[in-house]
Amino acid sequence: MNLAVRDIRHSLGRFVLTTLGVGMLLMVVMGMGGIYRGLVDDALVVTRGIGADLWVVQRDTRGPFAEVSRLPRSLVDRVAAVPGVTDAREFVFHTIQREHRGKPLRMGVLGLGWPTDKGEGLPLIAGRPLAQNHFEMIADESLGLGLGERLRLGKDTYTVVGLTRWLVASGGDGIACFTSRDAQAIQFDEPGESIRLERQARRARADEIDFGRTQPGVLDRASGPAQNLAALPGPSISAVIARLMPGSDPASVQRSMSGWSDVTTYTGPQQEELLLKGSVDRARRQILLFRVLLTIISAVIMALIIYTLTLDKLHPIALLKLIGAPTHVIAGLILQQSLIMGVLAYGVGYLIGTRLFPLFPRRVLVTNDDLLRLAGIVLVISVLASLLGIWKAMRVAPNEAIG
Amino acid sequence: MTEPLALETSGLTKVYGSGHTEVVALRDASMQVRRGEVVALLGPSGAGKSTFLLCVGLINPPTRGTVTIGGKLMQDGPRSLGDLRRFRREHIGFVFQKSNLIPFLSAIENVQVVGELIGRPSSVARRRAKELLDALGVGKRAFNMPTQLSGGEQQRVTVARALANQPSLILADEPTAALDSVRGRQVMELFRDVAHRHGTGVIVVTHDHRALDVFDTIYEMEDGLLKPAASAIARATVAHA
Ligand SMILES: Nc1ncnc2c1ncn2[C@@H]1O[C@H](COP(=O)(O)OP(=O)(O)O)[C@@H](O)[C@H]1O
Ligand SMILES: [Mg+2]
């Protein structure tokens, strides 16, 4: 006959309600852990997805995620020429906030290195990669756009051809992928009037220099779109990402670029470190501390609950002592109840959490490791919580059962 | 007589409190209970009867004096000799005035738990519990919780519990106070039958003078002093029987 179970059955309603309460508390602990992991994972999802061995950014910046980095497009060719580099691509990334269907729409704009990168490597859940070099986009589902939906950004209208899941910027905004030209067009979207003025000014500048006067073709182009101007700098890119030959040492490639006065290089892991130490660091530490606090609070609450449950049982416990129940029977009664409550509450927290977390606006990433660790913590808490009750029960005299 | 006494106390004294709050509840109480003997303990309220049972039952240590149960010296003054709780569960059965059932166990489980505590298999303990409840006329209420039982039914379950470990000593403190006189007498007779059949020593504190004929020996207590049946009523009742 198990006394712990009998007692629980006798005051079932109360036990169930208490367990539900503790369960929800554990769910919050679980969720906090998940938010933490989600934050870290989201911060790294783009860098990891891109899989660059080397990031080349504007000199002395921690770009392109932690701060703005601007580089000339021509740098792509320079990087590609470095020994050990197999492939260099431009990387365009920036965040915009526009109106869509009357609501603000924040998104990270990521430029893909068309035509080598059409977005096949992205975590697509619907649709297809880009198929043409203009006016198509792959949107993250968190942006709330549907397949085939058309979105006006700047002067052009883009069609959603693919959807990704959990492709978000470190701030939590969903990312939309465009060809890098489109991404730049969106970034440097200027009113028609200002473009006209810029082209006039450009023509005037060209008129004043020998190069413009001696090469009439340049004058023609100066009044056209900026990307046709080979000699005049076009819109800048955020970074150059390079893949290295298998087996080559990133450090030695970095060394060969260390003499370049206009760039700083980071390896993939260094870039991840920048992200974690930089943009998400405070948020990350904040959540981590809150999570620790929550765990301590749940431990205290569980201890108090088990303690009060024990206080309510002091009379039967004295009676058990009177009829000679050994200490381990009485301690077992309290410990088992504590463990039963801990295990059930954990289950409740897990069941509610797994249904609730997907509805959150940002990713709550509950990993198996974290679940296991929390399970261990709950077991330890249950044991510690029961110690207070057991200590109280040990001090009850059997004659308190009489009278 | 080579067989050890069920109970022997000598010079049992209990002082509660100290200084000006000091109460001497028990003075030099000596009693011998043979195996199979049924003893009644009479006396006015506050005389020290409950205190005596608590000292004898190894629950409250006496200030002075010894308690020997079944030939085993268990208590020498405030010093306990041996594992009292273990001794209680194996050798002593308790019945108190207020029924003291464990609220979260059903009637049968309240009796069964005693059997399990002394290491009987669950099924054996349960069967024995059912037999005891049947014998006490509460077999039909076996699966009710204590709160669903009347005062008398609760008390009979308590008696069944006191018998469950086949104790060598049963201590009952006004066990029939909550029962009508017929039921009260039945309980007393049950104690006597158990005592005679199993050689159990029984001490019953009672106010019910009509049932005194059931007892082999009658003690009286007044102001902490224990003496064999001095009161005229007790003697008359026994003589009358
Ligand atoms: N725990 C205690 N602390 C102090 N005094 C007590 C305690 N228990 C009993 N007494 C006192 O001891 C005396 C005997 O009490 P008790 O043994 O309960 O008598 P009875 O059972 O015969 O009515 C009374 O004066 C009572 O007030
Ligand atoms: Mg009393």
Side-chain angles (χ1 to χ4, degrees):
Chain A
M1 175 161 58
N2 186 304
L3 294 176
V5 173
R6 300 292 142 128
D7 181 40
I8 288 171
R9 229 170 45 184
H10 183 243
S11 44
L12 192 62
R14 186 174 161 193
F15 185 84
V16 166
L17 286 180
T18 315
T19 305
L20 273 179
V22 175
M24 285 188 231
L25 195 61
L26 290 180
M27 178 199 74
V28 175
V29 177
M30 233 175 251
M32 262 302 150
I35 289 173
Y36 173 81
R37 289 268 172 245
L39 189 79
V40 170
D41 209 68
D42 283 355
L44 302 179
V45 70
V46 180
T47 30
R48 287 206 180 129
I50 287 161
D53 295 321
L54 217 54
W55 291 81
V56 183
V57 301
Q58 183 183 338
R59 178 102 198 160
D60 293 334
T61 69
R62 312 270 149 126
F65 302 102
E67 62 174 309
V68 172
S69 154
R70 285 193 172 199
L71 293 169
R73 181 186 295 279
S74 59
L75 189 71
V76 175
D77 304 318
R78 263 163 72 200
V79 173
V82 172
V85 173
T86 48
D87 151 53
R89 280 185 287 144
E90 65 223 31
F91 180 81
V92 177
F93 183 81
H94 53 270
T95 304
I96 59 169
Q97 178 166 334
R98 303 286 158 91
E99 289 270 319
H100 180 59
R101 287 186 291 196
K103 278 192 277 180
L105 177 69
R106 267 186 79 80
M107 63 176 168
V109 173
L110 177 66
L112 300 176
W114 179 275
T116 40
D117 184 0
K118 302 185 177 75
E120 295 94 335
L122 296 171
L124 281 180
I125 54 162
R128 55 168 174 82
L130 302 180
Q132 58 187 54
N133 66 348
H134 276 307
F135 313 131
E136 286 190 347
M137 65 187 279
I138 299 170
D140 189 68
E141 60 170 355
S142 65
L143 292 169
L145 302 171
L147 267 188
E149 189 161 351
R150 295 160 69 77
L151 183 68
R152 186 156 180 91
L153 296 168
K155 280 178 289 297
D156 300 309
T157 301
Y158 298 87
T159 307
V160 178
V161 297
L163 289 177
T164 56
R165 177 166 291 166
W166 301 128
L167 187 64
V168 295
S170 61
D173 307 311
I175 287 178
C177 305
F178 301 81
T179 61
S180 61
R181 299 243 167 198
D182 283 352
Q184 284 167 312
I186 293 164
Q187 182 182 15
F188 299 106
D189 167 42
E190 287 170 285
E193 184 57 20
S194 101
I195 292 179
R196 244 187 324 276
L197 289 172
E198 162 65 15
R199 286 180 185 172
Q200 259 173 26
R202 220 187 276 146
R203 218 202 124 103
R205 281 202 305 276
D207 272 336
E208 286 162 20
I209 54 173
D210 288 347
F211 183 57
R213 280 196 293 268
T214 53
Q215 302 283 326
V218 171
L219 278 183
D220 285 347
R221 286 197 197 167
S223 27
Q227 59 258 44
N228 295 341
L229 290 168
L232 300 170
S236 58
I237 58 176
S238 305
V240 174
I241 49 179
R243 260 194 269 268
L244 304 185
M245 284 172 190
S248 67
D249 176 23
S252 76
V253 180
Q254 269 181 306
R255 259 196 308 281
S256 51
M257 280 188 266
S258 64
W260 298 5
S261 60
D262 53 347
V263 300
T264 298
T265 56
Y266 299 113
T267 61
Q270 280 170 341
Q271 183 64 256
E272 289 186 3
E273 177 113 351
L274 279 184
L275 273 167
L276 292 185
K277 287 263 164 72
S279 48
V280 299
D281 184 53
R282 275 168 202 274
R284 190 172 72 97
R285 282 208 316 245
Q286 177 121 339
I287 294 174
L288 191 67
L289 283 178
F290 197 66
R291 185 186 178 194
V292 171
L293 207 62
L294 262 178
T295 313
I296 295 172
I297 289 171
S298 348
V300 170
I301 289 181
M302 262 192 86
L304 289 180
I305 286 173
I306 294 296
Y307 184 65
T308 28
L309 281 182
T310 311
L311 287 189
D312 288 350
K313 276 197 293 285
L314 284 187
H315 189 262
I317 285 172
L319 197 60
L320 281 168
K321 285 190 175 181
L322 183 79
I323 62 175
T327 299
H328 71 83
V329 167
I330 291 160
L333 165 69
I334 297 166
L335 178 64
Q336 284 169 33
Q337 286 193 347
S338 192
L339 286 173
I340 291 172
M341 178 175 289
V343 169
L344 289 182
Y346 181 84
V348 166
Y350 178 79
L351 285 181
I352 301 180
T354 44
R355 275 154 191 73
L356 212 57
F357 295 154
L359 308 177
F360 277 41
R362 282 200 67 168
R363 180 141 68 133
V364 181
L365 181 64
V366 182
T367 64
N368 284 341
D369 271 2
D370 282 352
L371 281 176
L372 268 180
R373 194 167 314 128
L374 184 62
I377 290 173
V378 169
L379 283 187
V380 171
I381 289 178
S382 303
V383 172
L384 290 182
S386 69
L387 290 184
L388 193 61
I390 290 173
W391 170 79
K392 181 73 186 173
M394 290 304 105
R395 291 160 54 95
V396 172
N399 57 357
E400 282 174 41
I402 324 147
Chain B
M1 213 42 162
T2 49
E3 197 161 321
L5 292 165
L7 169 74
E8 181 171 18
T9 72
S10 70
L12 217 51
T13 301
K14 178 74 185 182
V15 182
Y16 287 116
S18 61
H20 65 283
T21 60
E22 191 176 282
V23 178
V24 184
L26 208 56
R27 300 166 198 270
D28 264 333
S30 297
M31 182 191 274
Q32 294 195 343
V33 181
R34 279 171 283 109
R35 295 172 141 264
E37 186 178 2
V38 190
V39 175
L41 185 51
L42 304 178
S45 175
K49 308 180 295 293
S50 298
T51 302
F52 179 71
L53 286 196
L54 290 180
C55 288
V56 168
L58 309 176
I59 293 168
N60 247 357
T63 312
R64 278 190 303 279
T66 59
V67 178
T68 308
I69 300 172
K72 246 202 179 120
L73 180 60
M74 290 309 294
Q75 195 82 53
D76 185 2
R79 216 152 49 96
S80 58
L81 307 157
D83 184 346
L84 299 190
R85 234 194 277 178
R86 183 195 176 103
F87 196 85
R88 277 206 299 278
R89 73 169 170 266
E90 286 175 356
H91 299 291
I92 305 179
F94 292 97
V95 183
F96 293 96
Q97 174 178 1
K98 245 174 67 187
S99 92
N100 276 292
L101 295 173
I102 295 169
F104 54 81
L105 297 183
S106 66
I108 193 168
E109 287 166 345
N110 259 286
V111 181
Q112 182 187 343
V113 72
V114 173
E116 287 187 17
L117 283 179
I118 57 172
R120 290 203 189 120
S122 186
S123 58
V124 174
R126 194 170 186 84
R127 203 173 327 120
R128 166 120 181 106
K130 186 72 173 65
E131 284 165 15
L132 285 167
L133 291 178
D134 284 340
L136 283 152
V138 278
K140 283 207 185 71
R141 312 290 275 151
F143 300 102
N144 286 96
M145 300 307 281
T147 49
Q148 299 168 321
L149 303 176
S150 73
E153 287 169 334
Q154 288 183 23
Q155 198 57 306
R156 277 179 277 157
V157 175
T158 313
V159 172
R161 184 180 66 193
L163 299 175
N165 56 346
Q166 290 175 310
S168 52
L169 186 63
I170 291 177
L171 303 172
D173 197 347
E174 305 184 31
T176 58
L179 304 182
D180 59 58
S181 60
V182 177
R183 284 289 182 198
R185 192 180 174 85
Q186 280 178 354
V187 168
M188 300 296 192
E189 284 172 351
L190 186 87
F191 281 142
R192 185 188 57 193
D193 294 347
V194 169
H196 291 174
R197 196 146 10 104
H198 301 291
T200 311
V202 180
I203 305 176
V204 183
V205 172
T206 181
H207 288 300
D208 189 356
H209 292 259
R210 285 168 300 182
L212 285 181
D213 58 298
V214 172
F215 296 90
D216 302 314
T217 318
I218 298 171
Y219 279 85
E220 211 178 32
M221 189 173 256
E222 182 138 27
D223 205 12
L225 281 170
L226 182 71
K227 43 194 190 296
S231 108
I233 312 162
R235 246 200 300 253
T237 319
V238 175
H240 179 74

